[in-house]
Amino acid sequence: MNRRLVALMVAVLAVFTFVPMASAQSTPTLSNIRTGQHAGFSRVVLDLSGLPTEHRVSEVTSVSHCASGNPITVAGPGINEILSVTLIGAAAHDDNGNLTYTGSQNFATPGLSHIRGVALTCDFEATLGIAVGYSNPYSWHRVFTLTSPNRLVIDVGL
């Protein structure tokens, strides 16, 4: 009986030793932040390698970095409101800690009529945070995901 158990264990170890494991990125990653002006609204697009598990949106008057708690002033003139968007299950770095998004982490958007600035507020423990600053407190917003390619879209308009 012991010989059978030993033989079974050796066989199992051999299978796990010689079968290569897939090395896929486990968390969708951010590669780019794009902005654009459309008729009646301004848009921010987050290009991602996959879709986050979920996203949460809230209107706030200030933001801080999720890991340090340090306040973040979103770049751009005349910001009165901030749309805080949190992507659960997303990051701006890969599983080895290498940055996948190397662009500006806080920038003004002078070409947009409704959005004044964008700031990265969190890249910690598979949580990615983006703050979108705008000037008109009566603005509307919508946040949604699209595929082919994967992206999260943030629209702000009047």
Side-chain angles (χ1 to χ4, degrees), residues 94-137:
D94 65 20
D95 287 341
N96 296 319
N98 302 309
L99 293 178
T100 59
Y101 173 70
T102 57
S104 178
Q105 295 196 8
N106 194 343
F107 57 94
T109 55
L112 303 182
S113 60
H114 302 295
I115 295 173
R116 302 289 183 228
V118 177
L120 186 67
T121 60
C122 187
D123 181 20
F124 185 68
E125 295 183 348
T127 300
L128 185 63
I130 301 291
V132 176
Y134 55 99
S135 60
N136 193 329

Side-chain angles (χ1 to χ4, degrees), residues 19-107:
V19 174
M21 295 297 205
S23 61
Q25 173 70 27
S26 61
T27 302
T29 56
L30 176 69
S31 60
N32 194 22
I33 299 175
R34 298 180 284 126
T35 62
Q37 182 60 45
H38 298 268
F41 64 95
S42 301
R43 174 170 282 180
V44 175
V45 177
L46 308 179
D47 293 325
L48 300 160
S49 65
L51 294 181
T53 306
E54 67 177 282
H55 63 270
R56 299 176 186 161
V57 180
S58 60
E59 294 176 331
V60 298
T61 55
S62 64
V63 289
S64 58
H65 192 275
C66 66
S68 68
N70 292 334
I72 296 173
T73 301
V74 180
I79 294 175
N80 296 320
E81 299 286 328
I82 299 171
L83 192 63
S84 177
V85 181
T86 304
L87 289 72
I88 308 300
H93 64 278
D94 65 20
D95 287 341
N96 296 319
N98 302 309
L99 293 178
T100 59
Y101 173 70
T102 57
S104 178
Q105 295 196 8
N106 194 343
F107 57 94

